[in-house]
Amino acid sequence: MVLTAPEAGDGFADRLRSASLSITTAAQEEATAQDLLAAAQADYGRLIGVLYAEGFYGGVIRIRVDGQEAASIPPLRAPSEIRKIDITVERNAPFVFSTARVMPLAPETALPPEFAPGNRAKGDLIGEATRSSIAAWRASGHAKALVAEQTIIADHADSTLFADISLDPGPRLRFGRLLLAEESRDSHVRPERIRDIAGLPTGRQFSPKELDEAAARLRRSGAFRSVVMIEADRPNADGSLDITARVSDAKPRRLGFGAELASLEGLTLSGFWLHRNLFGGAERLRLDAMIGGIGGDSGGEDYRLGARFDRPATLHPDTGLFLLAVVEGNDEPDYTESKVEVGGGFTRIFSQELRGEAGISYRYSDIDDDLGRRELQHLLFPASLTWDKRNDPLNATSGHFIDVTLTPFIGLDDNSGDGVRMFADARHYRSFGDGDRFTLAGRAQIGSVAGPSVGEIPADMLFYSGGAGTVRGQDYQSLGVDLAPGVTVGGRAFVGFSGEFRATVTDKIQAVAFADTGFVGQDALGTGRGDWHSGAGIGARYFTPVGPIRVDIATPLGDKVGEDLEIYIGIGQAF
């Protein structure tokens, strides 16, 4: 296969090769002579499309199959064997716009700046200018804006292109009814709930953005495998435009399992059962179970049983109701705690990247630590805000993630204090190199508990450092606050920093180097007793369809560097 094209250092020849069906077909071992001839004849249109896209309207394309022009060979008389295909492309002089006009334009229409007289007349610019102009009219409520007339003339004598596009904006429309496609009426989600969840603003001016948001709400509910919103061909007599929703149910039930292994903390097993449409209104019920510390040396075994019920579109299409119940037991190096928590609240979706949650819950805690045994009862008012702009939650290579939680709490008995707990987790990712082969990932965590004394706060609301989630290489929750000889408790302040350098070795394997450091302080502002510790190590990631399998080996930094090694195995990046 030979392709001859002008080499101008602008990648033009590469674009031709990418577009050529002949080159692609010739690389297939099973390709027949008939396949090759069909590909060669199709290449005329494909290659001229590349020429037009780059502003070359006087180009010449020759495709010879064993010396004969491919276009002259009857498809039904293909040779039994094809030994050689020669493709020659002459692009000749580039054309420039003599006229570049799209009219009329909606207010604030943003045309490509290159779409102007005197500039290279790339064919793609005409399409881009037309699409952006129609999109601007649609954003202004003119849902049926279209091209009324177009005049495009190539003057080969002057190497100029005349492009004049006339648009018909049509009337400004309002949203009409949300209808269900015939096949969607078999959905197990009730029609009125589909409309509630979509939240189509009937009566309001048509907006493509709000139409996309209605579709996003239906997808976000998790009850549907696919969602398509179809605009009616013609508006109603009252100036409204009906929308038809075509939805397909997802499987109502889902079962999942997870496992994570650390050399000191032992094995952690988790699983969940999920129902996506419990009562026919896209209500979600999720049951979780976890047991950790199996075979570990970081206390005893931990367990957690939880249930959460979510109902979308409660009070508002972007507001959901949730109810939860949790029974949990933690046998940690410095304390044991059993707790029961029940509560509920609301979630709010502000945008695709920003969401919040606020609620109220009752919590009972039975704690045994170096301060003695005690029972606490609290009323919690947790509120959180999450801003997630990562390109991939399981393997982010760009973007950032910020999660902030504020939990005021009130003690309900004499042993329990009033106060507030704050915790923030911020992560940032930046990639560079060929194909973004290298990624720098950074994480900062900060926490504080203000108000009561340490003994009046549930043990797991205090802060410890060490282990997979804070400082790898250090023993799990090995850093707390030593109030007196033999008395160690969690701190009321925490700061942690982590950094990773990730290098892609192959399509499936990634090498990682990392360092973590953490501080735990006695008082809410980090004053009083407190200490730092750090760890570092190397790791590997093996990419699978469900996410990267993670293996990290870490050592503490300081006096024990290189003496103690901890191994961590799990699914997904460390952060």
Side-chain angles (χ1 to χ4, degrees):
M1 180 68 58
V2 178
L3 188 149
T4 304
E7 293 290 350
D10 56 2
F12 183 75
D14 291 336
R15 288 192 288 276
L16 290 172
R17 291 187 180 93
S18 298
S20 173
L21 190 60
S22 298
I23 293 177
T24 304
T25 305
Q28 301 172 359
E29 294 182 1
E30 68 277 9
T32 65
Q34 183 70 49
D35 295 332
L36 290 170
L37 178 61
Q41 292 178 334
D43 268 350
Y44 289 102
R46 297 170 68 91
L47 298 180
I48 204 167
V50 176
L51 288 172
Y52 286 1
E54 294 299 317
F56 298 98
Y57 298 91
V60 178
I61 298 172
R62 298 183 182 91
I63 303 176
R64 292 184 173 88
V65 177
D66 289 335
Q68 185 178 358
E69 192 68 34
S72 66
I73 303 175
L76 298 180
R77 296 182 183 178
S80 59
E81 181 183 3
I82 293 178
R83 294 181 297 276
K84 185 178 181 181
I85 299 178
D86 293 308
I87 302 174
T88 302
V89 178
E90 299 174 8
R91 56 185 183 181
N92 296 325
F95 281 48
V96 297
F97 285 115
S98 60
T99 298
R101 183 169 53 224
V102 179
M103 292 294 290
L105 294 178
E108 301 182 4
T109 301
L111 293 177
E114 299 89 351
F115 185 70
N119 288 338
R120 175 81 71 84
K122 296 182 178 181
D124 288 351
L125 290 174
I126 302 173
E128 185 179 348
T130 304
R131 288 190 296 271
S132 60
S133 300
I134 290 177
W137 278 116
R138 283 174 53 81
S140 301
H142 297 262
K144 294 304 178 182
L146 49 78
V147 175
E149 186 178 353
Q150 56 182 338
T151 304
I152 300 175
I153 303 172
D155 188 334
H156 290 265
D158 296 334
S159 295
T160 59
L161 188 74
F162 178 93
D164 188 9
I165 312 297
S166 298
L167 302 181
D168 177 8
R172 180 176 278 117
L173 302 176
R174 295 173 287 105
F175 279 114
R177 300 166 297 171
L178 180 62
L179 308 176
L180 295 183
E182 185 69 31
E183 59 269 32
S184 300
R185 295 173 187 172
D186 295 331
S187 171
H188 290 89
V189 181
R190 297 189 301 274
E192 64 271 18
R193 285 294 293 155
I194 293 177
R195 294 185 176 93
D196 289 344
I197 296 168
L200 189 75
T202 298
R204 194 183 303 170
Q205 179 178 297
F206 174 87
S207 165
K209 180 181 178 181
E210 293 197 64
L211 184 61
D212 290 342
E213 289 175 352
R217 293 186 190 105
L218 290 170
R219 295 187 189 100
R220 195 167 57 225
S221 72
F224 306 106
R225 180 168 51 86
S226 66
V227 176
V228 179
M229 305 294 269
I230 305 168
E231 301 171 22
D233 292 334
R234 294 181 179 83
N236 299 317
D238 62 356
S240 64
L241 184 69
D242 292 338
I243 306 296
T244 298
R246 178 178 293 144
V247 300
S248 175
D249 285 356
K251 291 183 178 179
R253 298 170 186 83
R254 183 181 174 191
L255 192 65
F257 300 94
E260 187 160 349
L261 178 66
S263 53
L264 182 67
E265 301 160 45
L267 177 65
T268 298
L269 299 175
S270 60
F272 71 88
W273 178 86
L274 173 69
H275 198 299
R276 294 185 171 99
N277 187 29
L278 191 63
F279 300 126
E283 303 90 352
R284 295 164 62 93
L285 175 64
R286 175 168 172 144
L287 306 179
D288 287 277
M290 182 277 294
I291 181 167
I294 303 172
D297 191 23
S298 59
E301 294 181 352
D302 308 323
Y303 68 88
R304 185 181 189 277
L305 298 173
R308 175 165 171 143
F309 172 84
D310 283 272
R311 183 184 187 271
T314 302
L315 303 180
H316 185 275
D318 290 320
T319 301
L321 168 73
F322 72 89
L323 303 172
L324 60 83
V326 176
V327 177
E328 188 172 336
N330 295 305
D331 191 346
E332 307 295 1
D334 291 325
Y335 69 89
T336 60
E337 178 180 15
S338 299
K339 75 172 186 180
V340 176
E341 184 175 346
V342 293
F346 295 94
T347 59
R348 179 66 181 230
I349 306 297
F350 299 102
S351 69
Q352 186 175 350
E353 296 88 14
L354 185 65
R355 62 180 60 206
E357 185 171 293
I360 181 173
S361 63
Y362 165 80
R363 171 171 173 160
Y364 166 83
S365 305
D366 185 347
I367 304 165
D368 189 0
D369 58 13
D370 290 342
L371 298 178
R373 183 168 183 177
R374 59 197 181 279
E375 296 181 1
L376 305 178
Q377 297 185 70
H378 286 94
L379 199 60
L380 311 178
F381 303 90
S384 65
L385 199 62
T386 303
W387 188 24
D388 190 351
K389 294 203 69 173
R390 294 173 293 179
N391 63 332
D392 183 348
L394 285 178
N395 182 36
T397 57
S398 64
H400 59 259
F401 171 91
I402 300 174
D403 182 76
V404 179
T405 302
L406 191 69
T407 308
F409 55 89
I410 298 174
L412 299 179
D413 55 28
D414 294 339
N415 296 327
S416 309
D418 304 340
V420 61
R421 183 183 193 270
M422 185 277 294
F423 184 76
D425 183 355
R427 312 171 193 181
H428 185 71
Y429 308 86
R430 183 180 296 274
S431 297
F432 58 95
D434 293 339
D436 287 340
R437 178 184 174 190
F438 305 106
T439 299
L440 292 175
R443 182 184 193 183
Q445 301 176 80
I446 183 170
S448 176
V449 182
S453 65
V454 170
E456 298 174 316
I457 305 170
D460 70 350
M461 291 180 67
L462 298 170
F463 299 103
Y464 292 86
S465 184
T470 51
V471 179
R472 288 163 287 183
Q474 296 286 350
D475 290 348
Y476 175 69
Q477 293 196 355
S478 57
L479 182 61
V481 175
D482 297 325
L483 296 181
V487 180
T488 301
V489 295
R492 294 198 295 166
F494 170 72
V495 177
F497 299 100
S498 298
E500 289 194 349
F501 174 73
R502 305 169 184 170
T504 301
V505 179
T506 70
D507 291 342
K508 293 288 187 180
I509 298 175
Q510 184 181 68
V512 178
F514 58 86
D516 305 329
T517 188
F519 169 82
V520 175
Q522 178 181 0
D523 300 326
L525 297 178
T527 56
R529 296 175 183 268
D531 202 1
W532 289 86
H533 68 174
S534 303
I538 58 175
R541 311 288 185 261
Y542 180 78
F543 296 105
T544 71
V546 296
I549 297 176
R550 180 180 76 255
V551 179
D552 286 335
I553 302 175
T555 181
L557 298 181
D559 297 338
K560 295 183 179 181
V561 61
E563 296 180 9
D564 296 338
L565 293 176
E566 302 293 343
I567 300 176
Y568 308 90
I569 302 173
I571 296 178
Q573 297 284 2
F575 59 87

